[in-house]
Amino acid sequence: QYGGRDCFLFMKFWLFILSTILILACTRPDRQTVDKLNTLSYAYHYKSVDSTEYYAKQAYDLSAHYDKGRAEALNNLAFTDIVKMQYDKAEQRLNEIPQITDNQTELLVSYVQQMRLCQRRSKNREFYEYRENAMEALKRINEERSQLSEHQLQRLRYAESEMAIVTSTYYYYVGLERQSIDALQDLDINDLRRDTAQWLNYLYYVGSGGIITTGTQQEINQEEFDTLLRCFIHARQGDYPYFAANALEALSEHLMDPDYRRQLLADNLPAMKFINPDGVDEDMLAGWLAEDALHLFSVYGDIYQIAGAYRTLASCYRQIDDYESALYNLEEALSDSAIYQAPDLVASIREQLSLVYSAMDEKQLRTIPTTIPTIIPTTIPTTIPKTIPTTLPITKLTTMPTTILTTL
């Protein structure tokens, strides 16, 4: 009886070993598959929101026993939620990550995305809280940085660069220009080139203004123009519509001011032929670029950026005194209720609305005669018409203001 018990325990032990081996044999390929799906999801971040979401959902479904892989999938899904301005859903996913993993790299990514959400929603106190969490996670990562796998290093490169850009963006919009510039100082630009999307993100952000401060205004304009053009060219070559659109919109803003435009056109004739192959008149060029940016953002599906592009296009119309078209574009910018989650964006659009209404009122006043005619009829009709019209003519605007632009 004792020997039979030993035999039973022996068999039970080996069954345990065998089951463990089988589980590990099944788990490792599953983990590799999840990592590949997450890598694909990340690769499509700024190319296709639908593809990003598709691969992230697949990774999530296969990662029930792989916490790090599930956390990465949640980070990718939260990215798509932010693009769609489904902020509550994004926040819910990001809050789930600290509950399922202690992987510091994915925690860092989640904290940085929370910072982005807070910046968009104007939640200042929460922004600093998540930034402190991100700094603490980065400190722990640096203690074991040499032991990270290549995949983890790629995730860290994304997290560090995104944190710097988000922090700089936040400081810029709250008026802390020096801090905004300093936030980018620690970025390893050569290392950043290994992540094309983040490299383009950096180029756009620097070229859009506020970071380059050395030199005359003309020299700063030229350096920003060169940076944006580089961003646009590489975005086109790499099929990154998001950054191509951002570069076009920022170029449009640089070309709105007549003096800046004339100088940039004179100094960059070959580049202008590249971004303006149809030879659009220079007074209309800024609006033409802005409309192309709007088209690209619409195809990509970024609601926040679509509203911003409408705002930029309205500025172009206002620059040429086409206030009706400016008003139309500003109303389009406010047409999606989702953007009311971003108070600063809405405030900037409403500020432009006030300027447009004011300009329209002033223009109307200029068309009203300032003197009353002095000619008085010499005879007064002594009869009243026997018939009075029963209906009054009604005119109706059946078309929106025509644009001055064509898309690429």
Side-chain angles (χ1 to χ4, degrees):
Q1 183 179 358
Y2 184 77
R5 184 183 177 187
D6 284 348
C7 183
F8 173 76
L9 291 173
F10 181 77
M11 290 177 62
K12 190 174 180 180
F13 171 76
W14 280 107
L15 283 171
F16 172 76
I17 295 296
L18 181 61
S19 64
T20 302
I21 292 173
L22 288 172
I23 290 173
L24 289 174
C26 294
T27 302
R28 187 167 295 278
D30 284 347
R31 291 191 173 194
Q32 291 175 350
T33 301
V34 170
D35 286 343
K36 288 179 181 178
L37 288 168
N38 275 322
T39 299
L40 278 170
S41 179
Y42 176 74
Y44 279 102
H45 266 202
Y46 296 105
K47 294 184 175 186
S48 168
V49 179
D50 291 340
S51 296
T52 298
E53 186 175 27
Y54 172 77
Y55 290 117
K57 283 183 175 178
Q58 285 196 325
Y60 182 85
D61 291 341
L62 292 174
S63 60
H65 303 291
Y66 182 25
D67 293 346
K68 184 262 177 191
R70 174 154 288 199
E72 187 173 346
L74 284 170
N75 270 321
N76 285 324
L77 288 169
F79 175 89
T80 66
D81 293 332
I82 293 174
V83 170
K84 297 174 183 178
M85 289 196 80
Q86 298 173 349
Y87 289 168
D88 290 339
K89 193 173 181 181
E91 185 178 15
Q92 182 180 358
R93 294 191 201 275
L94 295 172
N95 286 339
E96 186 180 343
I97 292 173
Q99 300 174 16
I100 65 172
T101 187
D102 60 356
N103 182 280
Q104 296 300 311
T105 304
E106 292 309 319
L107 287 174
L108 173 60
V109 173
S110 72
Y111 295 145
V112 172
Q113 293 208 88
Q114 293 274 26
M115 289 167 59
R116 171 75 73 187
L117 273 177
C118 292
Q119 182 257 318
R120 291 276 182 89
R121 294 161 121 178
S122 301
K123 294 186 175 182
N124 297 326
R125 180 176 60 82
E126 291 88 344
F127 176 89
Y128 284 106
E129 289 176 355
Y130 283 116
R131 187 171 185 276
E132 285 299 316
N133 290 342
M135 295 294 292
E136 183 62 30
L138 185 58
K139 180 180 177 181
R140 294 182 181 180
I141 292 169
N142 284 332
E143 292 173 356
E144 301 177 355
R145 198 181 188 105
S146 60
Q147 301 176 26
L148 296 179
S149 66
E150 181 58 32
H151 181 71
Q152 290 172 324
L153 286 172
Q154 291 173 355
R155 295 293 289 164
L156 181 58
R157 185 179 299 115
Y158 160 65
E160 285 185 308
S161 57
E162 188 72 5
M163 181 178 176
I165 292 171
V166 169
T167 301
S168 181
T169 302
Y170 174 82
Y171 285 146
Y172 177 80
Y173 281 112
V174 297
L176 301 175
E177 295 183 8
R178 185 69 256 169
Q179 290 89 329
S180 176
I181 296 170
D182 292 343
L184 300 178
Q185 296 304 308
D186 293 334
L187 279 179
D188 185 340
I189 306 304
N190 290 326
D191 184 60
L192 189 59
R193 292 173 186 267
R194 300 174 65 181
D195 186 329
T196 303
Q198 290 304 102
W199 169 239
L200 293 174
N201 199 359
Y202 173 81
L203 288 177
Y204 157 69
Y205 187 71
V206 171
S208 61
I211 301 301
I212 301 170
T213 56
T214 304
T216 65
Q217 187 60 55
Q218 181 179 334
E219 291 169 339
I220 291 173
N221 290 344
Q222 183 61 54
E223 190 172 351
E224 289 175 348
F225 179 88
D226 291 341
T227 305
L228 289 171
L229 185 64
R230 191 190 314 175
C231 177
F232 176 70
I233 292 172
H234 286 292
R236 285 292 199 193
Q237 291 174 341
D239 190 23
Y240 288 93
Y242 176 85
F243 290 117
N246 268 307
L248 285 172
E249 185 178 3
L251 285 167
S252 170
E253 291 169 346
H254 277 66
L255 295 172
M256 277 188 214
D257 183 280
D259 293 332
Y260 293 170
R261 180 174 62 246
R262 280 190 289 270
Q263 189 65 53
L264 288 170
L265 286 170
D267 294 343
N268 301 275
L269 289 178
M272 289 301 175
K273 289 181 180 179
F274 178 77
I275 63 174
N276 181 23
D278 294 340
V280 175
D281 185 79
E282 67 175 63
D283 292 336
M284 309 299 184
L285 182 56
W288 188 75
L289 295 176
E291 189 162 281
D292 194 30
L294 173 60
H295 170 71
L296 290 173
F297 279 134
S298 298
V299 172
Y300 177 73
D302 192 313
I303 296 175
Y304 183 94
Q305 299 294 348
I306 289 170
Y310 272 120
R311 179 190 59 192
T312 300
L313 189 53
S315 296
C316 296
Y317 280 119
R318 190 160 57 86
Q319 191 72 30
I320 60 172
D321 297 336
D322 185 351
Y323 301 117
E324 288 79 9
S325 294
L327 178 61
Y328 169 73
N329 280 281
L330 290 171
E331 289 173 344
E332 285 296 300
L334 293 170
S335 63
D336 194 322
S337 60
I339 73 159
Y340 290 92
Q341 300 174 89
D344 287 345
L345 174 62
V346 173
S348 68
I349 295 170
R350 285 177 171 165
E351 181 182 3
Q352 278 215 38
L353 270 173
S354 297
L355 294 174
V356 169
Y357 282 131
S358 176
M360 292 176 75
D361 289 342
E362 185 178 338
K363 184 177 180 181
Q364 188 175 13
L365 286 172
R366 287 201 301 266
T367 63
I368 298 175
T370 57
T371 60
I372 300 174
T374 57
I375 300 175
I376 301 174
T378 56
T379 62
I380 300 174
T382 57
T383 60
I384 300 173
K386 294 181 180 180
T387 60
I388 299 174
T390 57
T391 61
L392 297 175
I394 298 174
T395 59
K396 183 178 180 181
L397 183 64
T398 57
T399 58
M400 289 295 180
T402 57
T403 65
I404 58 173
L405 315 170
T406 58
T407 55
L408 282 176

